[in-house]
Amino acid sequence: MVPTSYYMILSGILFTIGVLGVLVKRNPIVIFMCIELMLNAANIAFVALGRHFAQVNGQMYVIFALAVAAAEVSVGLGIIVSIFRTRESINVDEMNLMKF
Amino acid sequence: MGNALCRAARGTCSAYIPGYLNAMPSAPILVFFILAAVAVISALMVVTNVNPVRSALSLVVTFLSVALLYITLSAHFIAAVQIIVYAGAIMVLFLFVIMLLNLGAPAEAEPKNKAQSRAALALSAVFLTALALAPLVTFSTDAKSEAAIKNLGTVSTIGASLYNPALPWLFPFEATSILLLVAVVGAIVLAKRRI
Amino acid sequence: MILSNGASLAAIAPILAVMITGMIVLLGDSCLKLWRQAKWVSPTISVLGLVVSAALACSLIGTSGQQLAFSGALTADAFSQACNIILAVIAALAVMGSATYLENRGLQHGEYYVLVLFSTSGAMLMAAASELIVLFVAVEILSVALYVLAGYARTERKSEEAALKYFLLGAFAGGFLLYGIALIYGGSSSIVPGQVGTTNLRALGIYLHQMPAPNQMFIAGTALLMVGLAFKAALVPFHMWTPDVYEGAPTSVTAFMAAAAKVGAFAAILRVFNAFIPISEYWLIIVQVLAVATMFGGNILAVVQDNVKRILAYSSIAHAGYLMVGISALTGSGAATDALKAEAHSAAMGGITFYLLAYGIMTMGAFGVLIWISRRGRDVQTLNDLKGLVKTDPVAAYTMLIFMLSLGGIPPTMGFMGKWFLFYATLQAGQLWLAVTLALASIISIYYYLRVVWVMCFTEPDENAVAPGRAVASGGVVVSLIASAAATLLFGVAPGLLHSLMDAASTVLRP
Amino acid sequence: MPSIGNDLLHGILPNYIGSFHVVPWVPYIALAGILGFILGIVPGLIWIERVVIALMQDRSGPNRVGPRGLLQTMADGVKLFFKEDISPRSVDLKIYYLAPVIAMIPALAGGGTLPLQALTFRNVHSGALFTQNLTVGDVNIGLLYILALSSLQVYGVVLAGWSSNNKYSLLGGLRASAQLISYELAMGLSLLCVVVMAGSLNLNDIVAAQNVMPWPLKSGPAELKGSIFSWYWCQSLFVPVIIYTIAMIAETNRAPFDLPEAESELIAGFHTEYSSMKFAMFFMGEYASMLTVCGLNAAMFWGGPLPPFNMVIFTVVPGVVWFILKVMLGIVFYVWLRATLPRLRYDALMNLGWKRLLPVGLVWLFLIAGFGLVRETGAANVNEDITVAADNSVDNPTLSVHYRPTSSTGEVKHIGRKALPSLPLPGGRKLNDDPAAPAPGAENGTPGQPAGQPAGVQPAPQPAQEERHEESPGNPGNGASGVAPLPVTPPPAGGAGRPNEGGERVRLAPREGGERRGENPERREER
């Protein structure tokens, strides 16, 4: 059986890539995708840990995380679509109506 | 050969594996590494691609390989749901929006914010070491026996635990319906032209 | 004790009341034409539901002990009921203040109240959550509704921009939160007998008490959880979104967001860190650094602002810092004996609860004044718009004065008493330097609050300002303003009236 | 019903170590059969479509190449194969080439869990009979697998539309994705009704659940067992079958829902820019997915490989033939619709999906679930009767390889239990529980729990439940120790009475579970 640590390291790597993506990308849709990647990394960790402990808990968490991801996506893409209606671009660098 | 590999894959009768096969990593490890490599590479492509459509496609590949990883963790139901929800619904919505807004054309050279990128990389490196090394220390012992986990991911086990009033999952499950209701109302409020 | 499922439903009746009211408003508004046409129906029903919820919470607050509802998913104890009361009051004030404002800007739809009610229920769940995944779901119920509300003025670019920023950073924080939960789930196996994981805060508290030796994974998880919650509570340095979102969102939403989201987030932080008190040597210093950074960061940045909404945004950040001081006092780290530690704990619990209520009421009041004086079409935005308010609209100016004094922590207001309780708890906990820092930060804050007062009272009205004339008063805002002003003064003079609330909250024990 | 494995990987790599509980080559036969059938029948389907449409339109149809034009599609295929491969300059090349492949793979893979036939074998050594399903992957998430693949199908269309860099293609792709997402919900709801009735996601189990006496009858002529009246189209699922059929046509973008390629508005929609073999792949993908959804329809609502009546004249025909026949009827239905119905307007299409099919499906699901709940709780005795009846009705199989849609003794018991539409109740009725075990929903569910003893509330799986039940009355703190007033009683140090958050109550204890189950399920799990 593949050791749980392997899965945890994989999930750590995916989470880091997600965080990195959020920090460096400029397109909100891609940023959002990177956030989904972070959630997925957490899900891998949950399932792997659940197997490690022989608990069904790990998979329960994933079900809730999935529901949350779905809800976030519908609202997030709604925001992006509605923002595109009033301006032609959605680059986060152009979100500069409000400055410090 | 195939037979032996199959045995190795099952991990049941390792004593009968010919000596030369012992040197090989067992099949599950190989499968894991292949899937993990696909997941990580496609995840990196999500970040490195300039074209949002390609990013989305790479993310779909990541999700699919994650789904297969769930199968190797004997979480079949989660694997199927991962494909249905993430690959089949969420990413399709992403693609739909990208296409609707016609963002597909490769963006004009992204203004690179060097300082921010460097800070992000440094931060990520810290994260990576912290997150990747922590489990190494914690999980020195191996997981439970295979018999204990083989039924964890079946639909009946999941359903029976999710709806079991003696377990704490029933309430969050119901609370999730409020969340989805909020999302539905919210999406309509945001995106419908006239409320 | 564990409640049966029926008793659990009864114990969370205040939350259910809010949820059910939300569904009634949603159904009524979408199905009944008369309901939709009469604009006052949805807010009235919403307020009624919130009042019912608060009343239920008041009747349940006497229940003592640590009741686990739904097999450990929720803790339906007195503190959660206290938070229910606070949140119901905030939401009721917000709903009353919103109606006219939305009407003026053509945004009056039933969905607004539905979202407000649901997000209130999310914040209530955050205060009650005892399983971390329930906390996560509750955070998302609150946040998803707030993302939508922030972008509620769909035709305004600022509002949309605020929604996008809030959404992206909120979802980012959600990712941290979830990963933190995952790591805590894995890391807890070293302290849980049987080498299995758990994310139940009560269980974690007990196990940590027995064996305060978390492994690295657990600590990493706690750190990520803290980052996620700090984003939600807008602590420096995770506060970047706050001013923009507060400025861009419609003012009525800003008011609700500033109050309810912060109360929910702090209730959750309190629940988490209360369970983690046995390992406070790992996180106490971080909490204290966050507290100091947040107090000074918020206050100093507020000084240089010209936009009233941004000033209030930074002020809300600073208030989050004061509350973090209270979290630090929970541990009683400097207290000598266990008895003193317990005393510091209960003082801090009471202080935080009182402060949450005070903060909610005075924030709602300050934004309520802005709503009241904003005229058709445009918001009151800059300090310029407030110039000479005392001449053009003296009632509004004096009401604003009350809230500014209260936010600044000047007696005899509720804000002063709140700060005093926190100060006292910090002293009890033996954290003298932190108490001094709190006092210093409040002194800085007085500058910009008094600046607003000065602009209102001692300058001539600006011809170009938004609100030169008397605003058309409307029932809802007036009621909400009168209520919050009265409460600010009353509880400032006689904080003992809230004795039972604070006592109830302090029944949350140290693990 | 024995399965080859619990999951997909094990299903594809069957376990043939040890005594023969499964025949290792059966899944490969099924794989070869399904792939070969789908790929081989597509030219035939196109011929059928053209001939039937010609018949309906009262014209000749293909009649030049080969007898009755049978070879016409072959000729077309050869032409497409040798045509010059044109790729327009402005396309996104990688994705442009990838799209037809993506369109085809899920359609071909979708047949992986279709129940073609139940085969009976005799073990050479022990002489015992056992049944094995002719299915590529006889997995417990069979239906979810098909749904997952069908949800992936949209990518081919969307990517083709986007990468062509052509506004008609883009519009086609957009329409396709919106349509697929919308109709997937209605489709899922209608299939959920079946799942609620059958209590399983395994398609073989669902077929087996239809192989009983038609519902109101408890006993009667053996010819009616598993007959056309006991299939789910007739067993109070006549509304879901309609919803599914409409949704399946929309899912495959066929007339009258072929808006993504509406030639009058969008030229050819998403495949406007595609030519030669790439176009042919879209074409084949479309037909392959038609076959898959028709196969699912046949399995879910029309009894799969079951013959219409349990009479010798029908049962001598192998089940797989019946299955193919049902699929072909579905295809002809497709063609019939295409020949007779005009294309819908786009808003009408969306309204139909969201405002008609979805609410109706939801209401019907509630009805089915409530109905099942009532019968489940009110009919414990009936349940036993039917089990016995099912036992008696088994005729002894004599052939070593015996084409019969039913299965061995243990299976029929199991089918007997499935005779009633069942809701998965709290407490977890499991498919492969020993039928002799007490009905879990009725006796062990929580309603009867004393309120003061939440510790006695059982964990999910059946066998673990019994153990817990013995412990709990004597030790009310068990499972509740995490909840004792905090500093007063820290939980005991031992592992047994650990709190609910910890292992014991939450962990589903499959190890104990396995031992208590009957012989047959145990073997099934090992695989």
Side-chain angles (χ1 to χ4, degrees), chain A residues 50 53-58 60-61, chain D residues 500-503 506-509 511:
Chain A
F53 304 140
Q55 276 180 319
V56 79
N57 297 21
M60 295 293 123
Y61 299 129
Chain D
N500 54 340
E501 312 74 21
V506 180
R507 201 193 305 156
L508 286 174
R511 278 164 300 181

Side-chain angles (χ1 to χ4, degrees), chain C residues 235-313:
Chain C
L235 305 177
V236 176
F238 307 105
H239 68 289
M240 301 82 68
W241 56 274
T242 320
D244 289 353
V245 173
Y246 281 21
E247 185 191 340
T251 309
S252 62
V253 175
T254 309
F256 177 69
M257 197 192 304
K262 199 142 287 187
V263 172
F266 265 95
I269 287 177
L270 194 139
R271 284 260 183 238
V272 170
F273 286 108
N274 190 50
F276 290 171
I277 280 178
I279 52 164
S280 61
E281 72 258 38
Y282 293 97
W283 54 262
L284 181 62
I285 184 67
I286 302 174
V287 163
Q288 287 171 344
V289 168
L290 279 178
V292 173
T294 311
M295 284 188 293
F296 282 105
N299 281 329
I300 291 172
L301 288 171
V303 166
V304 296
Q305 300 297 327
D306 279 329
N307 185 313
V308 187
K309 278 167 94 177
R310 287 181 89 85
I311 289 179
L312 285 175

Side-chain angles (χ1 to χ4, degrees), chain B residues 76-78 151-161, chain D residues 140-142 144 195 200-201 430:
Chain B
H76 322 121
F77 177 72
I78 299 291
N151 270 346
L152 276 186
T154 59
V155 185
S156 42
T157 313
I158 299 230
S161 333
Chain D
N140 67 18
I141 51 163
L144 288 181
V195 174
S200 171
L201 289 170
K430 291 209 150 187

Side-chain angles (χ1 to χ4, degrees), chain D residues 135-351:
Chain D
T135 302
V136 182
D138 193 3
V139 294
N140 67 18
I141 51 163
L143 182 59
L144 288 181
Y145 169 82
I146 292 184
L147 284 179
L149 283 174
S150 83
S151 69
L152 290 183
Q153 218 155 24
V154 64
Y155 282 105
V157 179
V158 167
L159 292 177
W162 179 78
S163 67
S164 297
N165 206 0
N166 167 335
K167 65 183 141 201
Y168 296 118
S169 302
L170 184 66
L171 280 175
L174 279 175
R175 281 184 176 188
S177 53
Q179 177 176 335
L180 282 169
I181 292 180
S182 312
Y183 277 84
E184 222 160 68
L185 294 173
M187 189 178 193
L189 278 179
S190 63
L191 294 178
L192 263 185
C193 293
V194 177
V195 174
V196 168
M197 290 282 282
S200 171
L201 289 170
N202 183 321
L203 294 178
N204 284 300
D205 287 350
I206 290 171
V207 169
Q210 298 178 53
N211 189 13
V212 293
M213 292 301 288
W215 164 55
L217 300 178
K218 286 176 191 169
S219 59
E223 285 79 21
L224 282 181
K225 181 172 160 293
S227 72
I228 192 165
F229 301 113
S230 58
W231 302 344
Y232 278 148
W233 74 272
C234 185
Q235 296 286 306
S236 66
L237 287 181
F238 30 85
V239 170
V241 72
I242 295 170
I243 295 176
Y244 176 81
T245 309
I246 296 174
M248 95 183 174
I249 295 165
E251 283 277 302
T252 43
N253 294 330
R254 292 279 302 187
F257 302 112
D258 55 348
L259 287 157
E261 42 190 291
E263 70 278 352
S264 51
E265 307 162 35
L266 297 179
I267 309 180
F270 59 89
H271 55 62
T272 304
E273 300 288 358
Y274 283 86
S275 59
S276 73
M277 208 46 214
K278 298 196 294 294
F279 170 73
M281 282 175 82
F282 273 120
F283 215 67
M284 288 187 66
E286 183 176 318
Y287 279 90
S289 64
M290 276 163 69
L291 286 170
T292 310
V293 292
C294 284
L296 191 60
N297 199 353
M300 301 293 277
F301 297 104
W302 304 95
L306 298 175
F309 287 100
N310 193 12
M311 294 151 70
V312 184
I313 185 170
F314 293 120
T315 47
V316 288
V317 181
V320 67
V321 174
W322 287 114
F323 191 80
I324 291 173
L325 202 63
K326 289 169 186 174
V327 172
M328 284 302 151
L329 279 176
I331 299 287
V332 170
F333 183 70
Y334 262 114
V335 179
W336 180 22
L337 283 188
R338 186 186 152 189
T340 47
L341 290 183
R343 184 179 297 130
L344 264 73
R345 223 175 46 232
Y346 194 67
D347 58 331
L349 173 91
M350 283 294 158
N351 279 348

Side-chain angles (χ1 to χ4, degrees), chain B residues 64-87:
Chain B
L64 292 182
S65 54
V66 168
L68 292 178
L69 280 168
Y70 289 155
I71 291 181
T72 67
L73 287 165
S74 66
H76 322 121
F77 177 72
I78 299 291
V81 171
Q82 161 93 3
I83 294 181
I84 293 174
V85 174
Y86 266 120

Side-chain angles (χ1 to χ4, degrees), chain D residues 367-378:
Chain D
L367 284 181
I368 294 280
F371 186 58
L373 190 67
V374 169
R375 290 173 66 192
E376 178 98 2
T377 47

